Amino acid sequence: MTTNGAEIDRQPGKLRVGMHWASSCGGCDISLLEIGEHLLELIEVADIVFWPCAADFKYRTVADYPDGYIDVCLFNGGIRSSEHERLARLLRRKSRTLVAYGACAMDGGIPALANLKSPREIYDAVYHSNPTLHNPGHVEPKTQWATPLGELDLPGMYPQVLRLGDIVDVDYQIPGCPPVGAQVWKVLQAVVAGEVPARNSAVRVGCDNRSVCDECPREKRKTRIKAFKRPHMAVPEPNWCLLEQGFVCLGASTRSGCGAQCPKAEMTCRGCYGSAGLSSDQGTAMLSALGSVIDAVTEDRAREVVDEIVDPTGTFYRFSLASSALKARR
Amino acid sequence: MSQGESVQPPAETGTSQAWEPRIIAFLCYWCSYTGADNAGTARLKYPANVDIIRVMCSGRIDPDLIMTAFARGADGVMVCGCHIGDCHYIAGNHKTMARMPLVSRVLQDFGIEPERFVHEWVSAAEGDKFAKLVRQVTEQVCQVGPLDWPRRMYERGVGHGQDLQPWGDRA
Ligand code: SF4
Ligand code: SF4
């Protein structure tokens, strides 16, 4: 594999591949299985040397590898705790190529929506005020705990969700929540064939350079929006642009590559492939686009229409809050 | 660092006694900028806390510019354009009027007080309205105090990830 023009001095033989999850739901790990029977082809050319989701590797095993031992490490999930940070740094050292795999590692993903709440609010909801909780002792997680066998050091939660790229240098980003199987396979084939673009954290692979609207087959009739609807409120007319029908579809601000799966299935694009533009702020791009298609001639009417959008922040930044200009609630 | 963030700790603002708010005003060329000029020619007094950025049309003010202004250290942002019906480009400000209510909702979700973001129409003849607006905005931003966004994010590890401390563990 040549990247940056430099030949990698790995012994001829199999590639060593690792995958790790940090603040992640596990979906990205599963998405690797979505390459289907190609998995067998992958196993022929690559050894899995670390994959906590699928095989029993200890962190210690990785720590004992020489630096740069892992050829490609797919890192999914954002950085929310000290454990995530420790593994990010460890895997950066042990990997020649570190890939931010999926929306969470790249842009914070869904977990980064918690950046709109303070850690105190999160703890209160999770450990105290949720109606289904029973926590009479008001127990909260601790990072130190004395047991009869000795003192335990446990991971602690950070004040906000960070991207992998906030902690260590990242060589590539593969967007998606999770990345679609066909794209993942394309990237893996390129890696095996040594055809990946030069390393640079800004390089996104496994996606195209357009917006989801470009890939979407639904008809655009240049209709302006008079009112917004939520998906449960109406059945969309088939083959007509969902946004023009008043459903908040994020296709315009979202990078293509997924094949516009969601609009093809009558569901609005939620924006999982991240920002389509040069700016990483996907939310303002959508906000801007919406402003251009609202049908209102007075200020009051315009306000009425946009007020129908429930939770604009959570909607426009659903997968990319940690990459937005502001990144978190004050 | 890797995603193009700054790694230098931002200079501290707002801790010295002589804190002065920094307000970024995006003004459209045809009306509001001329309105500000008008305030100048009429020698109206207004606080020197605004940095004016002239754009061709208020419809050109991408909300990204507003968020970026706050993210890079502005304490307040003003957006001014021609009154509805007066747009040099016919309907540029119609886009502004649909975007700005959304911008203020999003800003409030990020914990940025409504006092810090003001959207008003100012015509070329309304120099006194502009001067009054600047006085009012400066005053209300002074009341809510420094925003200090770059430092806040730096302290939480954005862009450098050094010396992170788990929340709740700090003495
Ligand atoms: S807004 Fe949604 S439905 Fe409309 S063209 Fe774009 S992706 Fe397709
Ligand atoms: S249509 Fe949007 S939400 Fe659906 S997979 Fe593509 S980018 Fe993700």
Side-chain angles (χ1 to χ4, degrees):
Chain A
M1 181 167 79
T2 46
T3 52
N4 265 358
E7 199 72 38
I8 288 173
D9 58 357
R10 190 175 43 79
Q11 295 303 311
K14 284 179 145 188
L15 276 177
R16 302 189 195 99
V17 177
M19 189 163 199
H20 183 58
W21 48 7
S23 177
S24 140
C25 68
C28 279
D29 290 270
I30 307 302
S31 78
L32 195 59
L33 302 178
E34 215 204 317
I35 65 175
E37 73 279 5
H38 296 310
L39 208 52
L40 299 173
E41 291 170 54
L42 180 67
I43 300 294
E44 253 168 47
V45 293
D47 278 333
I48 304 231
V49 294
F50 184 56
W51 191 5
C53 173
D56 187 15
F57 292 102
K58 305 292 182 222
Y59 291 171
R60 204 181 310 127
T61 322
V62 182
D64 288 343
Y65 289 155
D67 286 359
Y69 180 82
I70 305 173
D71 290 307
V72 182
C73 179
L74 307 175
F75 192 105
N76 67 80
I79 309 296
R80 175 43 122 177
S81 76
S82 49
E83 182 191 7
H84 303 152
E85 186 202 348
R86 187 162 67 91
L87 263 287
R89 292 194 194 282
L90 179 66
L91 287 168
R92 173 69 277 185
R93 238 189 15 256
K94 302 296 173 187
S95 312
R96 289 178 194 282
T97 308
L98 184 67
V99 182
Y101 185 97
C104 296
M106 184 175 127
D107 284 338
I110 297 268
L113 284 175
N115 285 1
L116 293 173
K117 300 282 173 200
S118 70
R120 183 72 261 161
E121 287 170 300
I122 295 169
Y123 268 35
D124 281 347
V126 176
Y127 296 102
H128 308 300
S129 63
N130 198 313
T132 56
L133 283 174
H134 181 67
N135 183 5
H138 303 288
V139 176
E140 282 192 3
K142 295 264 183 296
T143 54
Q144 305 251 293
W145 193 249
T147 73
L149 297 175
E151 187 84 6
L152 271 186
D153 262 330
L154 300 165
M157 182 174 103
Y158 283 158
Q160 75 185 43
V161 175
L162 301 171
R163 301 164 290 179
L164 178 61
D166 282 321
I167 299 286
V168 292
D169 278 319
V170 170
D171 298 312
Y172 304 101
Q173 302 178 324
I174 302 183
C177 182
V180 300
Q183 290 281 15
V184 172
W185 179 234
K186 263 203 244 165
V187 173
L188 291 174
Q189 277 177 309
V191 168
V192 172
E195 284 165 0
V196 282
R199 274 171 213 222
N200 172 347
S201 57
V203 171
R204 297 187 211 174
V205 289
C207 58
D208 298 337
N209 253 333
R210 301 173 302 160
S211 71
V212 173
C213 288
D214 281 319
E215 280 190 309
C216 172
R218 303 183 82 97
E219 185 196 349
K220 289 86 173 168
R221 300 181 192 163
K222 298 202 161 50
T223 322
R224 300 172 81 79
I225 303 167
K226 287 196 167 61
F228 285 104
K229 296 181 223 129
R230 302 184 77 191
H232 67 275
M233 291 162 68
V235 178
E237 189 185 313
N239 308 323
W240 179 22
C241 170
L242 295 163
L243 185 64
E244 292 188 2
Q245 296 184 56
F247 299 98
V248 182
C249 179
L250 266 50
S253 62
T254 304
R255 186 165 290 244
S256 60
C258 60
Q261 298 191 24
C262 301
K264 278 182 190 161
E266 312 291 315
M267 183 64 200
T268 53
C269 170
R270 270 81 34 77
C272 71
Y273 264 56
S275 154
L278 291 174
S279 153
S280 59
D281 200 307
Q282 189 182 7
T284 48
M286 192 60 218
L287 201 159
S288 200
L290 274 187
S292 326
V293 292
I294 282 164
D295 187 12
V297 283
T298 65
E299 254 187 296
D300 290 343
R301 182 69 198 124
R303 192 179 293 267
E304 257 170 54
V305 177
V306 298
D307 276 353
E308 286 165 3
I309 303 175
V310 181
D311 188 12
T313 315
T315 307
F316 303 159
Y317 290 109
R318 196 185 264 116
F319 295 93
S320 63
L321 202 84
S323 274
S324 67
L326 292 168
K327 297 187 179 5
R329 194 184 165 87
R330 193 176 162 185
Chain B
M1 181 153 190
S2 54
Q3 294 190 346
E5 309 292 335
S6 95
V7 284
Q8 295 302 317
E12 224 157 302
T13 63
T15 43
S16 70
Q17 306 241 293
W19 172 73
E20 285 282 340
R22 182 139 194 218
I23 296 162
I24 306 293
F26 294 102
L27 309 184
C28 87
Y29 178 74
W30 301 101
C31 296
S32 308
Y33 189 80
T34 315
D37 236 7
N38 183 310
T41 9
R43 297 180 179 260
L44 298 176
K45 281 206 172 115
Y46 62 81
N49 300 67
V50 282
D51 289 326
I52 294 178
I53 297 178
R54 188 183 72 185
V55 293
M56 286 314 283
C57 176
S58 66
R60 167 65 186 82
I61 301 162
D62 192 312
D64 198 24
L65 299 174
I66 301 167
M67 307 297 178
T68 305
F70 282 118
R72 301 226 179 137
D75 298 296
V77 172
M78 293 167 61
V79 166
C80 302
C82 309
H83 288 265
I84 295 298
D86 289 351
C87 177
H88 188 80
Y89 306 101
I90 301 167
N93 54 3
H94 286 226
K95 298 174 174 73
T96 319
M97 94 186 165
R99 285 174 192 147
M100 295 310 144
L102 275 175
V103 170
S104 47
R105 274 172 79 194
V106 170
L107 287 174
Q108 285 177 54
D109 283 342
F110 279 101
I112 295 179
E113 300 89 340
E115 286 85 348
R116 297 187 190 276
F117 175 66
V118 172
H119 164 229
E120 264 296 347
W121 309 123
V122 174
S123 83
E126 291 176 323
D128 51 341
K129 179 174 180 183
F130 181 77
K132 215 168 126 204
L133 188 66
V134 173
R135 280 197 292 274
Q136 174 211 326
V137 174
T138 310
E139 199 174 301
Q140 68 194 37
V141 171
C142 277
Q143 302 233 311
V144 286
L147 184 63
D148 219 1
W149 206 271
R151 184 146 199 101
R152 220 178 276 276
M153 290 303 135
Y154 183 86
E155 281 170 4
R156 299 191 204 160
V158 172
H160 62 98
Q162 303 297 323
D163 306 323
L164 288 169
Q165 291 296 316
W167 176 80
D169 261 22
R170 283 173 286 192

